[in-house]
Amino acid sequence: MQRDQWGNRASFILAAVGSAAGLGNAWRFPYIVFKNGGGAFLIPYFVALITAGIPLIIMEFSLGQKHQQGAPGSLAKIKDKFEFFGWWPVISAFVIVSYYAGVMGWAWNYVADAFTGAWIGANTQDYFYNNVLKISSGPSELGGFSFSVLVGVVLTWILIYFILRNGTESVGKVVWFTVLSPIVLLLILIFRSVTLPGAIAGINYYLQPDFSVLTNFRVWIDAYSQVFFTLSLGMGIMIAYASYMPEDSDIINNALITVFANSGVSFMSGFAIFGTLGYMAQNQGVPIDEVATAGVGLAFVTYPNAINMLPGGPIVVGFFGIVFFVTLLTLGIDSAFSLVESNVAGFSDKFNWEKRKITLTVISLLFIAGLVFSTKAGLYWLDIVDHYINNYGLIVGGILETIAVGWYYKPDKLRNYFNPISEYKFGSWWNIMIKFVVPIVLIFLLIRNLIADINTPYGGYSMGPQWIGGWGMIIGVGVVSYFLSQTTSTKLDANDISDKNIGGE
Ligand code: PHE
């Protein structure tokens, strides 16, 4: 059967941007910039983009586009034994999206309740923990489901299924909406916030450069981790997406557009977030660092609280509340389905099942695996799993990939593939990044994370949850990936075999 293809190049680029631009751009990037020297952070950020983000995304695009396979198949074409290196990112993606859907489930509640007014003018902390999550006392007390979360999660999965089920070409149409609408919505939030008293001070805090941080090692680490995470690297996504492109499409251009569009969304989010936080700080007469946070607390407690302070009454507040949470949903949905697609590509390359059936199966498994995140202890488990999968799953995925390409396959083989088909060409500095810089940075991050987590168990949770949702989950990713890599493909046709012998010359 003919491989699924994007309808056109723009759809592919939008899908890649859609995957990259997610919750991390909105709730992580602004805070990381603020915390790490404001405008001065742009230096480590761009250095990390150029030395790691761009080389790696080009590598992932090339792997997929050249081999016309998702991550496991692409890596297996380099060497049979490397199939495991391709399943690891795919299974890590599975874990991430199992809880990413939970976060989207919360956001649906805020959208719906902007109409009922449940959090409008109310205490958003109380609303989030007690009304939405109905939070239990700790990870070991599941306490049954929070139905409001469960409903949101079910809605998210249904949506993802309908987006993916008709294949790549129809996904290519959906991304026009899911990528462009958060940009428009962010513009609305920026315009609203910049005219508020205190907004400019907030933005100043966000960007005011403090160059002294450049000598601080941690700032550089933050820059590299943000770049890996924000570009959705090491998850098999960019490989899968590129495998639906014709083999001769321009790689460097596509990669640069994706990277800079994603950074654009990050910067815009920074203005929207810090403009509003600046207003809130002034309103409450507190310093900005007291209100500046990242992650779940920022998106579900602090920001809606700031929206509650907007002048104009409940209708205006409700309107901006909906704008903000629909921004999160549209930012998140295309990151979520890209994670699913990484799985669908991996499985449908290997097993002789109809793609639609695989999509449905993967989504059903994800729904079941993710049920724990809809329980009253969901937030705790999400916090633990998120920490471990980002610190180990994603990083190990990147290490395995760069070792396979940089040390076994030899980077020049890929460079000789992407340069001739690209308008801009990359010199041999790219090889150095793939062979040395990226794996060294990643191995360094891995060791640092290991030391930190062994010394102080994450988040103050006890050892049981730490083992189940953390180390056990990571070992599980390894076991499942290994098992899948050892299973015989039901799809090996003559074509694949001859490709393998050529080894991608
Ligand atoms: N890149 C997305 C973000 O910044 C998150 C993500 C990571 C999505 C890994 C998919 C895979 O929010």
Side-chain angles (χ1 to χ4, degrees):
M1 209 180 69
Q2 175 75 36
R3 188 172 187 76
D4 242 0
Q5 291 259 314
W6 296 104
N8 51 54
R9 186 172 156 199
S11 296
F12 163 65
I13 294 175
L14 282 170
V17 174
S19 172
L23 298 173
N25 299 55
W27 78 20
R28 197 158 179 269
F29 177 84
Y31 177 75
I32 292 212
V33 174
F34 164 78
K35 194 183 73 169
N36 292 318
F41 183 72
L42 297 187
I43 296 171
Y45 177 75
F46 278 108
V47 170
L49 271 187
I50 291 164
T51 57
I54 293 173
L56 208 48
I57 196 170
I58 286 178
M59 185 184 103
E60 293 202 353
F61 277 180
S62 306
L63 281 174
Q65 188 172 302
K66 180 167 199 258
H67 299 126
Q68 298 281 302
Q69 298 265 319
S74 290
L75 270 298
K77 284 204 176 180
I78 292 182
K79 183 181 163 72
D80 271 340
K81 284 223 162 57
F82 290 166
E83 188 179 327
F84 169 76
F85 291 15
W87 281 110
W88 177 282
V90 166
I91 302 306
S92 302
F94 184 96
V95 173
I96 293 192
V97 69
S98 71
Y99 67 79
Y100 213 84
V103 178
M104 298 195 53
W106 307 339
W108 286 114
N109 276 276
Y110 280 75
V111 173
D113 278 345
F115 292 98
T116 65
W119 61 271
I120 308 291
N123 176 339
T124 51
Q125 172 134 4
D126 176 60
Y127 169 76
F128 180 56
Y129 288 102
N130 299 328
N131 284 35
V132 179
L133 303 179
K134 304 184 182 69
I135 195 142
S136 71
S137 60
S140 48
E141 190 207 338
L142 292 183
F145 289 115
S146 158
F147 277 98
S148 9
V149 175
L150 189 62
V151 169
V153 168
V154 169
L155 191 64
T156 305
W157 285 124
I158 292 177
L159 207 62
I160 293 179
Y161 174 67
F162 278 101
I163 292 173
L164 292 181
R165 76 178 191 141
N166 287 330
T168 312
E169 198 174 334
S170 90
V171 173
K173 300 206 171 89
V174 172
V175 288
W176 285 84
F177 175 74
T178 60
V179 175
L180 299 182
S181 45
I183 295 178
V184 173
L185 295 173
L186 277 173
L187 283 173
I188 297 178
L189 291 173
I190 293 171
F191 280 122
R192 170 64 283 210
S193 75
V194 289
T195 51
L196 292 166
I200 303 298
I203 290 169
N204 267 339
Y205 264 105
Y206 161 48
L207 291 177
Q208 202 168 57
D210 168 10
F211 289 98
S212 70
V213 299
L214 295 182
T215 51
N216 184 339
F217 211 53
R218 208 205 57 235
V219 172
W220 290 86
I221 290 177
D222 275 2
Y224 277 91
S225 349
Q226 174 63 14
V227 160
F228 288 118
F229 182 79
T230 192
L231 290 174
S232 305
L233 297 167
M235 291 285 123
I237 295 171
M238 297 306 179
I239 301 181
Y241 273 3
S243 76
Y244 305 129
M245 282 297 273
E247 275 168 80
D248 59 353
S249 7
D250 189 320
I251 291 205
I252 296 188
N253 253 329
N254 290 353
L256 294 178
I257 299 172
T258 306
V259 168
F260 291 114
N262 173 62
S263 298
V265 174
S266 297
F267 285 114
M268 286 179 64
S269 308
F271 285 100
I273 298 283
F274 274 90
T276 315
L277 290 185
Y279 165 67
M280 179 170 157
Q282 169 152 347
N283 203 308
Q284 297 185 318
V286 298
I288 186 107
D289 17 347
E290 262 176 44
V291 291
T293 49
V296 172
L298 171 70
F300 293 96
V301 178
T302 314
Y303 202 86
N305 192 22
I307 291 180
N308 266 333
M309 293 175 191
L310 289 179
I315 306 249
V316 174
V317 167
F319 171 78
F320 284 104
I322 292 172
V323 169
F324 176 68
F325 286 103
V326 173
T327 308
L328 288 190
L329 285 169
T330 48
L331 276 177
I333 188 88
D334 37 22
S335 301
F337 66 66
S338 71
L339 290 157
V340 179
E341 187 59 39
S342 163
N343 278 265
V344 172
F347 286 102
S348 60
D349 290 340
K350 178 140 184 170
F351 301 106
N352 204 6
W353 274 26
E354 224 195 312
K355 202 174 162 190
R356 187 184 280 201
K357 203 161 140 196
I358 291 186
T359 308
L360 185 61
T361 311
V362 168
I363 290 182
S364 311
L365 290 174
L366 277 164
F367 172 68
I368 295 167
L371 276 176
V372 62
F373 305 113
S374 299
T375 64
K376 292 177 181 159
L379 176 67
Y380 304 119
W381 288 103
L382 194 148
D383 186 27
I384 298 170
V385 173
D386 177 66
H387 173 83
Y388 283 87
I389 197 74
N390 282 317
N391 275 354
Y392 303 102
L394 202 143
I395 290 182
V396 171
I399 295 174
L400 297 177
E401 271 175 25
T402 41
I403 287 184
V405 173
W407 290 85
Y408 183 83
Y409 189 63
K410 304 292 183 240
D412 255 343
K413 276 203 212 158
L414 272 195
R415 205 160 61 89
N416 290 334
Y417 164 69
F418 69 68
N419 266 341
I421 53 176
S422 299
E423 184 190 332
Y424 304 113
K425 322 278 175 205
F426 272 8
S428 52
W429 67 271
W430 182 82
N431 303 17
I432 299 172
M433 299 304 147
I434 294 300
K435 199 165 172 177
F436 299 104
V437 177
V438 180
I440 289 175
V441 169
L442 287 172
I443 289 173
F444 182 83
L445 286 176
L446 180 70
I447 295 174
R448 183 200 69 135
N449 294 341
L450 273 172
I451 295 176
D453 281 332
I454 290 170
N455 282 340
T456 2
Y458 174 70
Y461 299 106
S462 60
M463 277 333 272
Q466 210 82 240
W467 268 100
I468 300 170
W471 304 117
M473 179 274 297
I474 293 290
I475 294 169
V477 169
V479 170
V480 173
S481 308
Y482 178 77
F483 173 77
L484 284 164
S485 69
Q486 297 303 307
T487 320
T488 338
S489 166
T490 52
K491 221 176 174 174
L492 261 194
D493 56 28
N495 215 346
D496 283 331
I497 292 168
S498 65
D499 265 349
K500 233 168 222 160
N501 293 339
I502 299 167
E505 288 313 305

